Amino acid sequence: MKKYIKKLIISFVFIGFSYAHAQSYVQFFRAVELDDAKTVQALLNRGFDPNTPSPELQPALTLALQKKSLKVAEALIAWRTIDVNQLNPHAETPLMMAAFNGQLHLAEQLIARGADVNQPGWTPLHYAATAGDSAMIRLLLEEHAYIDAASPNGTTPLMMAAYYGNPMATKLLLEEGADPTLKNDKGLTAYDFAYNGPHADSKIYIEAFLKGLQIKARP
């Protein structure tokens, strides 16, 4: 770790940053991982840019959500210059990370700060559906998330819920108007995802919906 920090500081000095700035950089990202909001706040007050990426090019806010450093995440979301739509190398936003981790309160804060609910490609709703988080799905739909958003390969949130999520998330999306007849680039529908997945009830709900039937959730 010490060797890594030394190399990082040398790199910063070489590209024009001060030694003090390099030290702040290391201190900042260590504080993010440790959920040390006090240190993060102090560094922000001294002028540290909250949108500075980590050595792995991960935005600090996304990293905080990923590491479940919730106090740091709240401090960053509240900071006046934070970019709540900053992408990581996988084109993920902070809201997508919060949606996947079930961090509903933080997702609400992100949306209030202008987080994009309907970004192109994979969306927060895809991530909420993958996690099978009904409360998060409801929040995103209330904020006008496009229910049949297509990923780069044509996968919809309903498909993700049917395979990776759970039957209740699948049922919720169907009830809210998700289209089970859509196909992805491989010609697969949500029913195909459910049929090949681990959740038999998801298949039952989709099949019933396609037949125009309504069935109650199993206890």
Side-chain angles (χ1 to χ4, degrees):
M1 181 66 178
K2 289 182 179 179
K3 187 176 180 181
Y4 162 74
I5 293 173
K6 184 177 180 181
K7 285 184 177 180
L8 184 62
I9 291 175
I10 291 172
S11 297
F12 266 93
V13 174
F14 180 76
I15 63 175
F17 287 100
S18 68
Y19 181 83
H21 187 92
Q23 285 186 312
S24 294
Y25 181 90
V26 173
Q27 189 179 12
F28 179 80
F29 280 100
R30 183 184 293 129
V32 169
E33 295 214 21
L34 296 176
D35 200 19
D36 181 358
K38 184 177 179 180
T39 295
V40 165
Q41 192 71 54
L43 289 166
L44 293 175
N45 289 336
R46 279 157 41 190
F48 192 88
D49 182 358
N51 302 308
T52 303
S54 74
E56 295 76 30
L57 303 181
Q58 187 83 293
L61 179 52
T62 304
L63 181 63
L65 294 164
Q66 182 183 42
K67 297 292 184 180
K68 298 180 173 59
S69 296
L70 305 187
K71 290 181 289 186
V72 165
E74 285 204 356
L76 290 171
I77 292 170
W79 193 250
R80 59 187 179 275
T81 60
I82 193 69
D83 180 0
V84 293
N85 292 306
Q86 188 177 7
L87 299 176
N88 70 7
H90 303 292
E92 296 168 324
T93 64
L95 183 55
M96 292 167 73
M97 192 62 62
F100 184 74
N101 288 335
Q103 295 156 338
L104 187 67
H105 181 57
L106 293 174
E108 291 171 337
Q109 292 182 30
L110 285 164
I111 292 169
R113 289 299 311 271
D116 191 355
V117 174
N118 287 308
Q119 70 174 70
W122 295 102
T123 67
L125 188 57
H126 282 98
Y127 277 49
T130 300
D133 189 332
S134 293
M136 188 70 71
I137 290 171
R138 288 192 183 94
L139 170 67
L140 294 170
L141 292 178
E142 287 169 2
E143 295 295 332
H144 310 293
Y146 180 41
I147 199 166
D148 288 323
S151 75
N153 63 7
T155 299
T156 66
L158 180 60
M159 294 174 191
M160 299 302 287
Y163 188 90
Y164 297 101
N166 56 52
M168 293 312 302
T170 300
K171 186 171 185 289
L172 173 60
L173 286 166
L174 288 168
E175 291 172 343
E176 292 295 327
D179 186 349
T181 68
L182 295 175
K183 297 180 180 181
N184 68 3
D185 290 354
K186 293 185 178 180
L188 300 176
T189 66
Y191 182 84
D192 296 319
F193 274 75
Y195 183 84
N196 292 296
H199 306 297
D201 279 1
S202 290
K203 182 178 68 172
I204 293 171
Y205 290 144
I206 295 172
E207 192 172 44
F209 187 89
L210 289 168
K211 292 179 179 179
L213 302 175
Q214 289 188 353
I215 55 176
K216 294 181 179 181
R218 295 186 183 185

